[in-house]
């Protein structure tokens, strides 16, 4: 019996405020620390130029891409931006104030 090949995953973290900066960094770090690496981590910044600049400068880990929301302001627009950019076969959404469990 052969096992099916693993699916690739894009992890999306939508962000909008610098007040959650430590949470944002922890969320990205938790994705980077997984036993099975995501294809990419997309951090989508929702119409906040200062946060976009800060995230682009600081969130530079392997496979991390920081993008501006290209759609209407709000979570739906940010998620649609991510889905349009994602290259993984599966898209996983992680809240900006959450962390993925180890493993």
């Amino acid at each position: 019996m052969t096992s099916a090949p693993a699916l690739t995953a894009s992890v999306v973290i939508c962000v909008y405020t610098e007040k959650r900066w430590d949470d944002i960094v922890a969320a990205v770090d938790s994705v980077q620390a997984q036993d099975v690496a995501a294809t990419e981590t997309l951090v989508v910044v929702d119409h906040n130029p200062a946060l976009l600049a800060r995230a682009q400068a600081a969130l530079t880990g392997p496979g991390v891409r920081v993008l501006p929301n290209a759609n209407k302001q709000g979570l739906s627009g940010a998620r649609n931006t991510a889905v349009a950019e994602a290259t993984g076969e599966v898209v996983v959404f992680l809240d900006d104030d959450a962390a993925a469990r180890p493993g």
Side-chain angles (χ1 to χ4, degrees):
M1 179 184 278
T2 60
S3 60
L7 295 173
T8 59
S10 297
V11 178
V12 174
I13 305 169
C14 298
V15 303
Y16 67 97
T17 179
E18 287 185 88
K19 291 178 183 178
R20 290 187 175 177
W21 180 252
D22 292 338
D23 292 332
I24 294 166
V25 171
V28 172
D29 288 347
S30 76
V31 174
Q32 298 289 298
Q34 293 299 300
D35 292 344
V36 177
T39 300
E40 62 191 346
T41 302
L42 302 176
V43 179
V44 182
V45 180
D46 191 23
H47 298 275
N48 182 331
L51 179 56
L52 178 63
R54 184 176 186 184
Q56 286 174 328
L59 303 176
T60 59
V64 177
R65 290 196 294 150
V66 178
L67 310 165
N69 179 359
N71 296 296
K72 184 177 178 183
Q73 186 172 4
L75 185 56
S76 293
R79 285 183 173 172
N80 286 335
T81 295
V83 169
E85 290 288 326
T87 62
E89 296 166 286
V90 175
V91 178
V92 178
F93 294 97
L94 182 64
D95 288 342
D96 63 350
D97 62 348
R101 282 192 230 172

